[in-house]
Amino acid sequence: KQRIEIKTEPFERLESIFLNNKFNLDWNCLFVLPLWLKTWWDTFGDNHDPEILAGYRQGKLIGLAPLRIQEKTARFIGGENVCDYQDMIVASNHHLEFFKAILTHLEKKGIRSLQLRTLRPDSISLTQLPNLAKQMGYAVVYDQVAYSYEIILPSTWESYLQMLAGKQRHEIRRKLRRLNETGEIRFRVIKRPDEISENMDTFFSMFKASRTDKSEFLTDQMVSFFLLLAQRMAQRGFLRMSFLDIDQVPAAGVMCFDYNDTIFLYNNGYNPQFSNLSPGFLSKVYSIRNSIDQGKLRYDLLKGDEGYKKRLGSTPVPLYHLKIDLEG
């Protein structure tokens, strides 16, 4: 007899579970925080049905699977273009029983396929689910699809520079020196929700001006997603917006999230009139330095193979898609 009861939960309940520490769930993935999922849903959720599944054992919540259903396929709530990687939210020591109950529940509901993308190698969905699903007789496929990049931060700026290859270290020092010779340089970090809303237009204009593909990516729908996300995450204290100013003119901006001792570099842009000074690259250097000063443990540059990530000394982390065929 199955001891785990599966219920569907509304978004509001997800938020109150997150805010209540007594549940002991591992909310270790930024891109499945309730605010993030709700913002995605409010912007892009039109033709999907939310299926936020909660597993209860003797009345105690042991796990959450934030899914959406479309034509008999279950996927994470969220999209790969704005959620770099995702995961299930489960209390430790309950992974297998929760996953087993979820797979059984989805199959009973007539769901034919569970497609989870994108997963880090250390996500519980990738370390626990594939073997369990195979044992239950389901066909399982997973492929590496991309890389994310991260820096494990040392405790001082000088140690960070020493971690880099000589050529990278030399490049950073030389560019910083040249920048500081051009005028008054200021790197400011903004956290207050009202200040962040005042600066969003400046940020968007630099984001669009810095690369054509970014300009095309920033559709009206995407702008409303970013605005809503920034507003909600700032109110919760998770957003860090930074600007690198040259003689009081914003030359570059970075939009980061601060969660679980990690800084996530989510979006960035620069003002092309300063491009000879590499403001885009240097704003990230300043952001890393600021994160070290704040005692953060990790700097996550997220998905995408841009060259600057290697020049900042980051390590690639493979990302996977997992597909479980529930038709047996």
Side-chain angles (χ1 to χ4, degrees), residues 81-98:
N81 55 348
V82 292
C83 305
D84 288 61
Y85 44 79
Q86 294 187 278
D87 204 2
M88 304 276 192
I89 306 109
V90 191
S92 44
N93 304 329
H94 292 292
H95 300 148
L96 292 176
E97 53 181 336
F98 174 71

Side-chain angles (χ1 to χ4, degrees), residues 196-205 226-227 230 241 255:
I196 283 169
S197 358
E198 284 163 21
N199 282 278
M200 284 307 280
D201 283 349
T202 307
F203 182 77
F204 282 138
S205 66
F226 288 143
L227 284 172
M241 188 159 248
M255 181 182 184

Side-chain angles (χ1 to χ4, degrees), residues 18-19 21 25-34 36 85 89 233 236-240 256-265 296-300:
F18 173 70
L19 294 173
N21 295 329
L25 297 181
D26 290 333
W27 292 95
N28 50 15
C29 178
L30 173 75
F31 304 104
V32 292
L33 295 186
W36 199 291
Y85 44 79
I89 306 109
M233 295 295 268
R236 190 54 57 76
F238 291 147
L239 185 63
R240 299 284 174 273
C256 293
F257 293 100
D258 179 351
Y259 181 67
N260 264 4
D261 288 323
T262 298
I263 296 292
F264 298 84
L265 174 67
K296 300 299 171 188
L297 304 181
R298 194 163 68 103
Y299 194 91
D300 195 330

Side-chain angles (χ1 to χ4, degrees), residues 11 14 31-41 66 77 86:
F11 277 107
L14 207 58
F31 304 104
V32 292
L33 295 186
L35 274 188
W36 199 291
L37 299 179
K38 180 76 169 77
T39 303
W40 186 89
W41 193 265
I77 289 171
Q86 294 187 278

Side-chain angles (χ1 to χ4, degrees), residues 19 33 42 49 53 94 106 116 120 125 127 142 160 166 168 170 176 205 243 246 261 277 300 305 315 317-318 322 327:
L19 294 173
L33 295 186
D42 291 343
D49 299 312
L53 300 177
H94 292 292
L106 291 173
L116 300 183
R120 280 176 59 99
S125 301
T127 55
Y142 57 93
Y160 166 70
Q168 296 167 335
H170 180 70
L176 282 173
S205 66
F243 290 98
I246 300 176
D261 288 323
L277 293 168
D300 195 330
D305 291 323
T315 308
V317 176
L322 169 64
E327 290 185 287

